[in-house]
Amino acid sequence: MAIYVAPISSGLGDLIVSLPAIHGFIAQGEETHLVVRSHRQRDIAKRITGLAGEIEESELPEKSLKDGERFVDLRDHPLQRDFIWGSQEFNARFGPLKIMQIVELLCNDLAVPADFSTLTPLAHTHRPGLNETVLLIPGTDGFRKHWPLEHWLLLNRSLLSEGLKTLVVGQPSQSPAVARLLEYGVPW
């Protein structure tokens, strides 16, 4: 049976927090496909071990799924449709939940076999010499997700004081946050 899983929204972080749902189906031996919601998610499929494939959301034959196939849309839930996460109304009704708690609720309600206790890493290539290095990735697709420069600098100092190295990942021409960290001497 083929399972098509669409992340909670269209960003890269939205896909990352949706991985327990995807990995849950893979762990059960299901033919699992990632439904890509935007260009930000397009290249990550090759890093999800066991994934059968990916399909653009616009190409998903949702209305013509074959018998035994299932489309799991993590956005198709009242917590997604009816509320803005973190709003006063949301917090009054559900409490101040962290994103992974919200995704776990979505998965439980949608009968998704997600395991949040053991996360599966993405496939990667080991880079010798970076074992004690933390990559800072301050770029985002909008200012609403911006973390203040002072927080990045504090995090950087804390990591350095623990004996770790840090590197900034991103495009300074595309991300003011990356450019500012480079101005403060954080290696690129």
Side-chain angles (χ1 to χ4, degrees), residues 64-76:
S64 61
L65 290 176
K66 298 176 185 139
D67 283 343
E69 292 183 332
R70 180 177 172 201
F71 174 50
V72 177
D73 184 354
L74 295 177
R75 191 167 40 196
D76 187 18

PDB file of all heavy atoms in Angstrom, residues 64-76:
ATOM      1  N   SER A  64      -7.746  10.461  -7.235  1.00  0.00           N
ATOM      2  CA  SER A  64      -7.730   9.184  -7.948  1.00  0.00           C
ATOM      3  C   SER A  64      -6.731   8.205  -7.336  1.00  0.00           C
ATOM      4  O   SER A  64      -6.096   7.452  -8.053  1.00  0.00           O
ATOM      5  CB  SER A  64      -7.398   9.423  -9.420  1.00  0.00           C
ATOM      6  OG  SER A  64      -6.112  10.019  -9.534  1.00  0.00           O
ATOM      7  N   LEU A  65      -6.604   8.222  -6.012  1.00  0.00           N
ATOM      8  CA  LEU A  65      -5.737   7.251  -5.355  1.00  0.00           C
ATOM      9  C   LEU A  65      -6.302   5.856  -5.573  1.00  0.00           C
ATOM     10  O   LEU A  65      -7.517   5.655  -5.568  1.00  0.00           O
ATOM     11  CB  LEU A  65      -5.628   7.548  -3.858  1.00  0.00           C
ATOM     12  CG  LEU A  65      -4.845   8.794  -3.462  1.00  0.00           C
ATOM     13  CD1 LEU A  65      -4.918   8.995  -1.948  1.00  0.00           C
ATOM     14  CD2 LEU A  65      -3.403   8.714  -3.912  1.00  0.00           C
ATOM     15  N   LYS A  66      -5.417   4.918  -5.770  1.00  0.00           N
ATOM     16  CA  LYS A  66      -5.833   3.527  -5.983  1.00  0.00           C
ATOM     17  C   LYS A  66      -6.243   2.908  -4.655  1.00  0.00           C
ATOM     18  O   LYS A  66      -5.882   3.393  -3.592  1.00  0.00           O
ATOM     19  CB  LYS A  66      -4.690   2.749  -6.610  1.00  0.00           C
ATOM     20  CG  LYS A  66      -4.284   3.268  -7.961  1.00  0.00           C
ATOM     21  CD  LYS A  66      -3.076   2.517  -8.488  1.00  0.00           C
ATOM     22  CE  LYS A  66      -2.624   3.154  -9.778  1.00  0.00           C
ATOM     23  NZ  LYS A  66      -1.206   3.245  -9.886  1.00  0.00           N
ATOM     24  N   ASP A  67      -6.957   1.799  -4.739  1.00  0.00           N
ATOM     25  CA  ASP A  67      -7.337   1.068  -3.527  1.00  0.00           C
ATOM     26  C   ASP A  67      -6.087   0.736  -2.729  1.00  0.00           C
ATOM     27  O   ASP A  67      -5.091   0.281  -3.285  1.00  0.00           O
ATOM     28  CB  ASP A  67      -8.087  -0.219  -3.877  1.00  0.00           C
ATOM     29  CG  ASP A  67      -9.524   0.046  -4.272  1.00  0.00           C
ATOM     30  OD1 ASP A  67     -10.036   1.137  -3.981  1.00  0.00           O
ATOM     31  OD2 ASP A  67     -10.134  -0.862  -4.879  1.00  0.00           O
ATOM     32  N   GLY A  68      -6.152   0.969  -1.447  1.00  0.00           N
ATOM     33  CA  GLY A  68      -5.025   0.672  -0.578  1.00  0.00           C
ATOM     34  C   GLY A  68      -4.030   1.808  -0.441  1.00  0.00           C
ATOM     35  O   GLY A  68      -3.139   1.747   0.398  1.00  0.00           O
ATOM     36  N   GLU A  69      -4.157   2.861  -1.250  1.00  0.00           N
ATOM     37  CA  GLU A  69      -3.261   4.012  -1.128  1.00  0.00           C
ATOM     38  C   GLU A  69      -3.893   5.014  -0.155  1.00  0.00           C
ATOM     39  O   GLU A  69      -5.114   5.091  -0.029  1.00  0.00           O
ATOM     40  CB  GLU A  69      -3.027   4.675  -2.486  1.00  0.00           C
ATOM     41  CG  GLU A  69      -2.234   3.813  -3.433  1.00  0.00           C
ATOM     42  CD  GLU A  69      -1.939   4.513  -4.749  1.00  0.00           C
ATOM     43  OE1 GLU A  69      -2.729   5.387  -5.171  1.00  0.00           O
ATOM     44  OE2 GLU A  69      -0.918   4.178  -5.350  1.00  0.00           O
ATOM     45  N   ARG A  70      -3.037   5.762   0.493  1.00  0.00           N
ATOM     46  CA  ARG A  70      -3.523   6.720   1.499  1.00  0.00           C
ATOM     47  C   ARG A  70      -2.747   8.024   1.383  1.00  0.00           C
ATOM     48  O   ARG A  70      -1.529   8.025   1.238  1.00  0.00           O
ATOM     49  CB  ARG A  70      -3.328   6.132   2.892  1.00  0.00           C
ATOM     50  CG  ARG A  70      -3.795   7.037   4.011  1.00  0.00           C
ATOM     51  CD  ARG A  70      -3.644   6.378   5.368  1.00  0.00           C
ATOM     52  NE  ARG A  70      -3.922   7.347   6.423  1.00  0.00           N
ATOM     53  CZ  ARG A  70      -3.516   7.229   7.660  1.00  0.00           C
ATOM     54  NH1 ARG A  70      -2.838   6.156   8.046  1.00  0.00           N
ATOM     55  NH2 ARG A  70      -3.795   8.161   8.553  1.00  0.00           N
ATOM     56  N   PHE A  71      -3.474   9.124   1.446  1.00  0.00           N
ATOM     57  CA  PHE A  71      -2.871  10.456   1.492  1.00  0.00           C
ATOM     58  C   PHE A  71      -3.000  10.969   2.917  1.00  0.00           C
ATOM     59  O   PHE A  71      -4.107  11.076   3.442  1.00  0.00           O
ATOM     60  CB  PHE A  71      -3.566  11.398   0.508  1.00  0.00           C
ATOM     61  CG  PHE A  71      -3.091  12.825   0.587  1.00  0.00           C
ATOM     62  CD1 PHE A  71      -1.742  13.142   0.562  1.00  0.00           C
ATOM     63  CD2 PHE A  71      -4.010  13.858   0.676  1.00  0.00           C
ATOM     64  CE1 PHE A  71      -1.307  14.460   0.635  1.00  0.00           C
ATOM     65  CE2 PHE A  71      -3.594  15.187   0.741  1.00  0.00           C
ATOM     66  CZ  PHE A  71      -2.244  15.476   0.717  1.00  0.00           C
ATOM     67  N   VAL A  72      -1.874  11.255   3.556  1.00  0.00           N
ATOM     68  CA  VAL A  72      -1.853  11.789   4.916  1.00  0.00           C
ATOM     69  C   VAL A  72      -1.389  13.232   4.829  1.00  0.00           C
ATOM     70  O   VAL A  72      -0.231  13.506   4.541  1.00  0.00           O
ATOM     71  CB  VAL A  72      -0.912  10.972   5.834  1.00  0.00           C
ATOM     72  CG1 VAL A  72      -0.866  11.588   7.218  1.00  0.00           C
ATOM     73  CG2 VAL A  72      -1.353   9.523   5.890  1.00  0.00           C
ATOM     74  N   ASP A  73      -2.307  14.147   5.056  1.00  0.00           N
ATOM     75  CA  ASP A  73      -2.021  15.575   5.003  1.00  0.00           C
ATOM     76  C   ASP A  73      -1.955  16.090   6.433  1.00  0.00           C
ATOM     77  O   ASP A  73      -2.985  16.260   7.083  1.00  0.00           O
ATOM     78  CB  ASP A  73      -3.112  16.278   4.210  1.00  0.00           C
ATOM     79  CG  ASP A  73      -2.841  17.765   4.026  1.00  0.00           C
ATOM     80  OD1 ASP A  73      -1.867  18.281   4.614  1.00  0.00           O
ATOM     81  OD2 ASP A  73      -3.617  18.400   3.292  1.00  0.00           O
ATOM     82  N   LEU A  74      -0.750  16.328   6.928  1.00  0.00           N
ATOM     83  CA  LEU A  74      -0.582  16.787   8.306  1.00  0.00           C
ATOM     84  C   LEU A  74      -1.124  18.198   8.525  1.00  0.00           C
ATOM     85  O   LEU A  74      -1.217  18.657   9.655  1.00  0.00           O
ATOM     86  CB  LEU A  74       0.887  16.697   8.724  1.00  0.00           C
ATOM     87  CG  LEU A  74       1.455  15.279   8.790  1.00  0.00           C
ATOM     88  CD1 LEU A  74       2.938  15.308   9.129  1.00  0.00           C
ATOM     89  CD2 LEU A  74       0.689  14.430   9.799  1.00  0.00           C
ATOM     90  N   ARG A  75      -1.494  18.867   7.451  1.00  0.00           N
ATOM     91  CA  ARG A  75      -2.115  20.188   7.579  1.00  0.00           C
ATOM     92  C   ARG A  75      -3.632  20.079   7.683  1.00  0.00           C
ATOM     93  O   ARG A  75      -4.308  21.027   8.069  1.00  0.00           O
ATOM     94  CB  ARG A  75      -1.709  21.042   6.378  1.00  0.00           C
ATOM     95  CG  ARG A  75      -2.072  22.480   6.521  1.00  0.00           C
ATOM     96  CD  ARG A  75      -1.433  23.394   5.517  1.00  0.00           C
ATOM     97  NE  ARG A  75      -1.361  22.875   4.176  1.00  0.00           N
ATOM     98  CZ  ARG A  75      -0.590  23.369   3.237  1.00  0.00           C
ATOM     99  NH1 ARG A  75       0.185  24.395   3.494  1.00  0.00           N
ATOM    100  NH2 ARG A  75      -0.576  22.867   2.036  1.00  0.00           N
ATOM    101  N   ASP A  76      -4.174  18.915   7.352  1.00  0.00           N
ATOM    102  CA  ASP A  76      -5.623  18.731   7.347  1.00  0.00           C
ATOM    103  C   ASP A  76      -6.102  18.270   8.723  1.00  0.00           C
ATOM    104  O   ASP A  76      -6.435  17.109   8.946  1.00  0.00           O
ATOM    105  CB  ASP A  76      -6.012  17.705   6.282  1.00  0.00           C
ATOM    106  CG  ASP A  76      -7.524  17.605   6.122  1.00  0.00           C
ATOM    107  OD1 ASP A  76      -8.240  18.535   6.562  1.00  0.00           O
ATOM    108  OD2 ASP A  76      -7.989  16.595   5.574  1.00  0.00           O
TER     109      ASP A  76
END
